[in-house]
Amino acid sequence: MEFEQRGGDRLRLYIAEKPSMGREIAKCLKGPVRSHDGWLETAEGAVTWGFGHILRQKEPEEYSEKYKFWRTEDLPIVPAEWQLVVAPSAAHQFRIVRDLIARADEIVHAGDPDREGQLLIDEVLDFVGNEKPVKRILLNALDEKSIREANADLRENSDFYALKQSALARARADWLIGMNLSRAYTLAARRAGHKKLVLPVGRVKTPTLSLVVRREREIENFKPATYYLVDALFRTEAGETFRARWKPSEERTPLDPEGRLVDENAARAALAAFGEEPQDAKVTRYERKKKEEPPPLPFSLSALQVLAGKRYGY
């Protein structure tokens, strides 16, 4: 590799999370961009990338031959030292990244600015035993202005150590739950006579599946509920009539989770509170408009986090 770059003989290597991000970074560096197998060359440095996780966690049987056979007495499986291996689908790109790291004088970590993006690049650097200085570029957008501003304000990668640890905790929790509970539930099912059944358990997919099953059971076991409405018929001085519906207050009236009045005594008490007919009434506000209200969408992750933070302090 021959590099024509700032600083003469020093190589700055940008490692992006994915090829599209790497190409956008290269376009914002000085000089023409020259393409190579798995990386790009500019006058300001080299740019390479991963494809998501280049590395994967070892399977239990890769830690020990005895785990090839699923046995209750081996559970729980907790690695004494966590180990990674190169994913076969990413072996070629891993060799390119490894060789570029070996040639680099300085590395710029260009993973996504979240915990998973932090881990994706850090785990590769740790795996190859990198001791070169590492900077961090935080790219919240991939337009030219944003990339140039971020590149002019590089941070120390060590500032994001806690973010990496958070991602590691998530990954290892996934492994511990998936590997151990999948085996435990499958072995229990086989003892109960389900010889060929495999029950995969996951930290995310199992509770999500539980939500779907619970909702389906609620629908199957739905029972109609009796609730009460209090309506009044009004006649104007001009002789026109219209119907109005009383809206109960949750603070004063027992309502069910859907905001309906289900207590007959409370409904009759409200009716009695209006007094004997006929009663005079005064319209204090009148508004008429046509609008469409679509059904509510499921939460996005960010909206769910905002609501959970407000309601529960998460």
Side-chain angles (χ1 to χ4, degrees), residues 108-114 118 135-141 146-147 149-151 153-155 157 160 163:
V108 178
H109 181 317
D112 284 349
D114 55 23
Q118 186 67 37
K135 299 289 186 180
R136 184 68 160 100
I137 184 171
L138 298 174
L139 296 172
N140 291 304
S146 297
I147 293 175
E149 288 178 352
N151 198 37
D153 187 29
L154 297 178
R155 302 270 300 276
N157 191 55
F160 302 90
L163 196 62

Side-chain angles (χ1 to χ4, degrees), residues 10 52 85 126 149 192 203 267:
R10 291 186 61 80
V85 293
D126 292 343
E149 288 178 352
R203 181 184 63 89

Side-chain angles (χ1 to χ4, degrees), residues 133-175:
V134 182
K135 299 289 186 180
R136 184 68 160 100
I137 184 171
L138 298 174
L139 296 172
N140 291 304
L142 292 179
D143 59 278
E144 184 175 345
K145 181 174 181 290
S146 297
I147 293 175
R148 290 188 185 281
E149 288 178 352
N151 198 37
D153 187 29
L154 297 178
R155 302 270 300 276
E156 292 295 330
N157 191 55
S158 57
D159 292 348
F160 302 90
Y161 176 77
L163 196 62
K164 165 190 166 185
Q165 293 300 101
S166 173
L168 270 177
R170 193 277 312 155
R172 291 173 180 177
D174 283 352
W175 193 99

Side-chain angles (χ1 to χ4, degrees), residues 152-301:
D153 187 29
L154 297 178
R155 302 270 300 276
E156 292 295 330
N157 191 55
S158 57
D159 292 348
F160 302 90
Y161 176 77
L163 196 62
K164 165 190 166 185
Q165 293 300 101
S166 173
L168 270 177
R170 193 277 312 155
R172 291 173 180 177
D174 283 352
W175 193 99
L176 290 169
I177 290 172
M179 298 301 175
N180 285 290
L181 292 189
S182 294
R183 293 183 179 218
Y185 276 84
T186 297
L187 291 168
R190 290 176 180 175
R191 288 194 297 271
H194 305 283
K195 298 300 183 185
K196 296 184 178 180
L197 185 65
V198 175
L199 294 175
V201 178
R203 181 184 63 89
V204 174
K205 68 181 177 183
T206 299
T208 304
L209 178 61
S210 174
L211 291 171
V212 174
V213 171
R214 187 184 307 165
R215 185 59 175 161
E216 183 64 24
R217 287 175 177 170
E218 289 173 354
I219 293 170
E220 289 178 354
N221 298 319
F222 172 75
K223 294 179 177 59
T226 300
Y227 60 97
Y228 300 90
L229 304 172
V230 178
D231 287 2
L233 188 65
F234 293 90
R235 180 178 289 109
T236 67
E237 292 180 352
E240 297 176 347
T241 60
F242 64 91
R243 184 178 295 274
R245 176 163 294 165
W246 174 63
K247 295 181 67 174
S249 168
E250 192 171 358
E251 290 77 19
R252 300 180 181 179
T253 315
L255 305 178
D256 72 357
E258 296 184 32
R260 300 175 302 190
L261 179 57
V262 294
D263 187 326
E264 182 180 358
N265 292 331
R268 294 192 179 280
L271 185 62
F274 290 113
E276 295 295 328
E277 296 182 8
Q279 291 282 339
D280 290 335
K282 181 179 180 181
V283 176
T284 59
R285 183 167 178 264
Y286 171 74
E287 183 180 1
R288 183 176 181 176
K289 60 184 177 180
K290 183 178 180 180
K291 64 178 182 178
E292 294 182 0
E293 184 176 345
L297 295 172
F299 278 110
S300 66
L301 178 59

